[in-house]
Amino acid sequence: MLNSDTAKNAPIMLLYHKRLGELSARSDHSSRPTVFDRLPRCPDGRWINIGRLDINTSGLLLFTNDGLLAHQWMHPKNGLERVYHVRVFPIPETKSIERLLQGIELDGEKVCFQKVTPLCKPSSVLAKNTWYEVMVTSGRYRMIRRLWEKVGCQVSILKRVSYGQMSLPDDLQPGEYRVINMLIKR
């Protein structure tokens, strides 16, 4: 539960498990559901989202009531790691994984995954897709999906599992949130 006294003493961070089909926007002209529809009222100021996830991506979203904190978390120079679990089709070749790690041009810039780790081995020779954990330190519009497409793979499931030192708790169900009081020295 949010307490207004707590909010005045320290920035608040809220971890939210974004559901598929929700927009990472305050409102939508087509009346589609947004992540802000499910958040509690912010006791001091308003919620500021730290990064975004597209409508077809689930997982960890962070919110705060502190603009400076949000800026620090999102600024590219800080290079905070974002980790995703991704299911791709077809199973990529080794050279495709190497290209993803070396860098591929998107929007006139070379971008890459910092890590690509298989989460499991395909269950059979006939398997058509598999899971990977990927890490990035910057974000671009649909970057993970677009990078996989550049090596001939399609993303069927994408879920963010961590952002910086914050991880999606195993017991936090889609559509639920958890409040964290931040102890920050400025």
Side-chain angles (χ1 to χ4, degrees), residues 32-62:
R32 292 177 293 184
T34 76
V35 294
F36 288 92
D37 295 339
R38 300 191 63 90
L39 300 183
R41 187 180 79 61
C42 187
D44 184 27
R46 67 183 191 134
W47 293 121
I48 302 164
N49 47 319
I50 298 173
R52 300 168 67 100
L53 293 174
D54 70 39
I55 196 166
N56 296 316
T57 303
S58 65
L60 181 64
L61 265 182
L62 302 174

Side-chain angles (χ1 to χ4, degrees), residues 82-166:
R82 298 149 177 102
V83 178
Y84 296 80
H85 288 174
V86 55
R87 188 174 76 178
V88 297
F89 166 85
I91 298 170
E93 296 179 10
T94 302
K95 66 182 179 182
S96 296
I97 300 296
E98 290 169 1
R99 280 188 64 207
L100 292 168
L101 291 166
Q102 292 169 356
I104 296 173
E105 189 171 312
L106 283 183
D107 305 323
E109 263 187 73
K110 195 172 187 179
V111 294
C112 65
F113 294 144
Q114 272 54 54
K115 288 184 185 174
V116 178
T117 308
L119 290 174
C120 61
K121 291 186 179 187
S123 56
S124 75
V125 177
L126 301 175
K128 298 190 185 298
N129 57 47
T130 193
W131 285 89
Y132 287 90
E133 182 173 272
V134 298
M135 182 199 312
V136 296
T137 55
S138 66
R140 284 197 165 59
Y141 177 73
R142 298 177 61 85
M143 180 175 125
I144 293 171
R145 294 176 192 279
R146 292 168 59 207
L147 282 173
W148 282 106
E149 286 171 6
K150 292 277 191 176
V151 297
C153 293
Q154 184 176 35
V155 171
S156 59
I157 299 175
L158 182 59
K159 180 178 184 178
R160 180 160 51 199
V161 295
S162 71
Y163 191 126
Q165 73 262 29
M166 299 294 181

